[in-house]
Amino acid sequence: MTASALTRRRLGQLTLALGATTLAGRAFAQERLSIAAVNYPLAYFAERIAGDLADVRFLVPDDVDPSFWRPGIADITAIQSADLVLLNGAGFADWTARTTLPRARSVVTSAAFEDAFIATETITHAHGDGGAHSHTGTANYLWLDFAQAQMQAEAIAAALTRRAPDAEADIARNLDALIADLGALDTDARAIGAAAQGVRMIAAHPRYQYFARAYGVDIDAMEWDPREPVNDAQLAALEERVAASGARLFIWEAEPDAASRSRVESLGLTSAVLPPLANRPSDGDFISAMTQALAQVHQATLSLTGG
């Protein structure tokens, strides 16, 4: 069975699994569907899969972490009115647990792999003006395991096919292309895992649990706000962590200021930037930005191992 045929078979199975009740489909020529997403990866996947079939709403401002965004009444109304509401699951965007969303039109894109969620410790801290928040219960940057990202994309495609069965062939074709791109990211990440054996890493923030598990990478994490410069207390804590772990590579989730990078590298660490892309990248899109970031991490790892 070809990869394309296998994708179509899985798409058909997922469509059936969404439920026996058929929602009223819309003919593409009559009206575009509306899709709302709680984070950028899901919005990007939906845009790729839907093409001209739908308008995708991702309402989180560029400078806000979607994990902790607090939507206003107008935002919630816009999301509630969408034909499909794409949810990440695993506790991501906790406002969704306090808001009534249209159950029949909501898609938990991680439902197929809930048994693979990673439990985390509860840590409460504050980021800038966002107020105090907690990393509670479950790691939720699911898409950083690119095989899981593929399953999220398949769930979106299945939901779209359910809404617009006449567009099934186009949806499946677009899904095939996206799956190929996500598969390439998976291959790049596996190359990092192979090169990074024996290289311990520390990340500026706990975002990378699924990446670490999927690709066999050893990543510890600090609790730093990427928008703030590294202060003396943070540097001292990092120095202790480096001494205890022997870490050699530091992962930033956003490009640091020059002074912060210099302070971290003064501890003998090599820096690399791997944005989780919960929100839009400043340049490019999910695939291009992630490809570039993975290449940077790979190169940094090879520089440490002599590869």
Side-chain angles (χ1 to χ4, degrees):
M1 183 179 295
T2 66
S4 178
L6 180 59
T7 298
R8 286 178 171 80
R9 179 179 176 184
R10 293 180 68 183
L11 176 55
Q13 291 170 340
L14 281 165
T15 303
L16 291 174
L18 284 171
T21 302
T22 302
L23 298 176
R26 299 186 183 189
F28 162 68
Q30 294 177 344
E31 187 176 356
R32 289 162 67 94
L33 295 169
S34 62
I35 301 173
V38 298
N39 59 37
Y40 170 68
L42 298 183
Y44 174 78
F45 299 165
E47 289 172 350
R48 287 281 304 270
I49 295 166
D52 292 332
L53 182 66
D55 294 312
V56 179
R57 303 170 183 170
F58 176 54
L59 303 179
V60 183
D62 290 348
D63 60 347
V64 175
D65 185 338
S67 303
F68 310 111
W69 179 52
R70 298 173 181 173
I73 294 175
D75 299 317
I76 292 173
T77 299
I79 292 168
Q80 288 172 328
S81 67
D83 294 297
L84 289 174
V85 180
L86 304 181
L87 305 176
N88 186 71
F92 188 97
D94 59 3
W95 66 265
T96 61
R98 304 188 299 270
T99 303
T100 301
L101 295 174
R103 184 172 181 180
R105 290 180 276 125
S106 296
V107 182
V108 181
T109 59
S110 59
F113 57 94
E114 287 181 347
D115 58 349
F117 289 174
I118 297 174
T120 63
E121 297 179 0
T122 298
I123 303 172
T124 300
H125 60 165
H127 282 209
D129 297 329
H133 63 260
S134 299
H135 297 277
T136 58
T138 307
N140 53 35
Y141 278 49
L142 305 171
W143 60 91
L144 293 180
D145 174 343
F146 301 113
Q148 291 181 168
Q150 291 178 52
M151 287 188 276
Q152 290 183 285
E154 288 169 348
I156 295 168
L160 273 169
T161 301
R162 186 183 177 193
R163 292 289 302 188
D166 291 344
E168 180 177 4
D170 289 337
I171 292 169
R173 184 165 48 252
N174 292 341
L175 176 63
D176 284 344
L178 176 58
I179 291 294
D181 286 344
L182 292 172
L185 294 181
D186 186 72
T187 298
D188 291 346
R190 291 188 184 281
I192 291 172
Q197 296 304 306
V199 177
R200 302 195 69 177
M201 306 180 188
I202 297 177
H205 206 266
R207 303 294 199 200
Y208 304 97
Q209 297 94 333
Y210 293 100
F211 184 89
R213 182 181 69 182
Y215 306 112
V217 181
D218 185 355
I219 305 179
D220 195 3
M222 307 300 288
E223 285 284 341
W224 292 1
D225 185 338
R227 298 170 299 181
E228 298 294 332
V230 176
N231 60 42
D232 291 344
Q234 290 173 325
L235 191 68
L238 177 60
E239 186 173 18
E240 291 181 4
R241 193 80 61 92
V242 170
S245 67
R248 301 167 65 194
L249 182 63
F250 192 83
I251 302 294
W252 303 89
E253 61 181 305
E255 186 65 41
D257 63 84
S260 292
R261 179 188 283 268
S262 178
R263 298 193 82 186
V264 165
E265 293 179 352
S266 72
L267 301 179
L269 291 164
T270 296
S271 288
V273 180
L274 180 58
L277 296 182
N279 210 327
R280 302 172 187 85
S282 56
D283 294 304
D285 58 26
F286 183 87
I287 296 297
S288 63
M290 188 62 73
T291 299
Q292 182 178 356
L294 292 175
Q296 183 182 146
V297 175
H298 193 197
Q299 185 59 43
T301 302
L302 291 175
S303 74
L304 292 170
T305 61

